[in-house]
Amino acid sequence: MRFCLTFRPGNLAAAVASLLLLLSSAARAQQAGDTTSVSCGPPLSRMLCVDLDGRPSIDEAAGPFTYKWQMGDGTTLTGPTITHCYKERKNYVVQLDVIVDKTGEVRTGQKYIPINLVQQDVVDFTATTTRVRVGQPVSFASPEAQLLTCQNVQFVWDFRDGTVQKGRTAEHVFRRPGTYAVRFSMRGYGSQACIQSHCVSREIVVEP
């Protein structure tokens, strides 16, 4: 049975200088040359879709067959090749049953396929609101963010109003009205890809 994951990765943008040297655990003014100033795109969809092909595992000479896929989330699909998008990033086991069209014989569990949607890099964050008034706090969090092959990953928030904060969660108060493309960056130790910053942004509109 061959199958492949349909990749919907978040945007990974490279930073240009030393991120860790410019950060402290408390919020502070952004400095010239801070790597969090690198251009960051919006978060993209998670890798939640799979393409499966059951034909290589079945003896076509004994067919034709009806292919029945139990996707592990309560969904049942039919056909020799299928595409399915999950709603949650979890581990699933797909069961392929086949029905011999000539006899009606059901061959249960012809194949079992593990689908692991947890073991993937995630660069993304959430905000309690995307529209706020001056002086009102906005909370940010990155509960699923991870770089699997990197050690001691740093989480950095650049609020685009001159302040930067470090941590998996953050809270910020904007003092002036405007539209701020808040940037969330990750960087760790390991390969060259870990040393580079990975970042995404979301716009926060601050009204008077």
Side-chain angles (χ1 to χ4, degrees):
M1 177 75 58
R2 66 181 172 83
F3 69 96
C4 61
L5 295 183
T6 301
F7 290 96
R8 311 287 170 82
N11 183 41
L12 303 180
V16 293
S18 55
L19 177 61
L20 298 178
L21 295 177
L22 297 175
L23 302 174
S24 65
S25 57
R28 67 177 185 176
Q30 184 178 358
Q31 300 180 22
D34 192 336
T35 56
T36 51
S37 296
V38 69
S39 178
C40 299
L44 300 180
S45 300
R46 303 287 200 278
M47 293 180 281
L48 296 178
C49 298
V50 294
D51 299 318
L52 302 177
D53 187 346
R55 294 171 297 182
S57 63
I58 305 300
D59 179 12
E60 293 292 345
F65 297 100
T66 296
Y67 296 75
K68 184 178 180 181
W69 304 84
Q70 307 287 346
M71 301 306 297
D73 62 351
T75 302
T76 300
L77 301 174
T78 58
T81 61
I82 57 98
T83 296
H84 181 61
C85 293
Y86 292 93
K87 294 182 179 179
E88 296 183 70
R89 197 167 64 89
K90 296 167 52 177
N91 292 327
Y92 300 91
V93 175
V94 174
Q95 176 181 324
L96 172 61
D97 304 329
V98 296
I99 302 171
V100 182
D101 292 346
K102 292 181 179 178
T103 65
E105 174 193 359
V106 179
R107 300 181 181 180
T108 302
Q110 194 73 12
K111 276 291 181 180
Y112 293 92
I113 306 171
I115 304 294
N116 188 338
L117 299 179
V118 177
Q119 295 298 309
Q120 59 179 269
D121 288 350
V122 176
V123 185
D124 195 7
F125 70 95
T126 61
T128 52
T129 183
T130 58
R131 187 173 293 271
V132 69
R133 292 192 178 279
V134 170
Q136 294 180 335
V138 183
S139 295
F140 302 88
S142 55
E144 294 186 321
Q146 60 183 13
L147 298 176
L148 291 174
T149 62
C150 305
Q151 304 297 321
N152 300 321
V153 176
Q154 305 291 316
F155 304 90
V156 184
W157 307 89
D158 182 349
F159 301 108
R160 309 309 293 160
D161 63 352
T163 57
V164 175
Q165 188 172 342
K166 178 180 174 182
R168 185 173 280 275
T169 62
E171 185 174 271
H172 186 64
V173 175
F174 295 92
R175 300 300 181 184
R176 295 181 180 179
T179 299
Y180 299 87
V182 174
R183 295 173 178 177
F184 171 68
S185 301
M186 299 171 63
R187 182 182 178 183
Y189 295 97
S191 66
Q192 184 63 33
C194 296
I195 297 172
Q196 296 172 343
S197 290
H198 303 79
C199 63
V200 291
S201 64
R202 295 183 187 275
E203 287 191 348
I204 303 295
V205 177
V206 181
E207 301 176 339

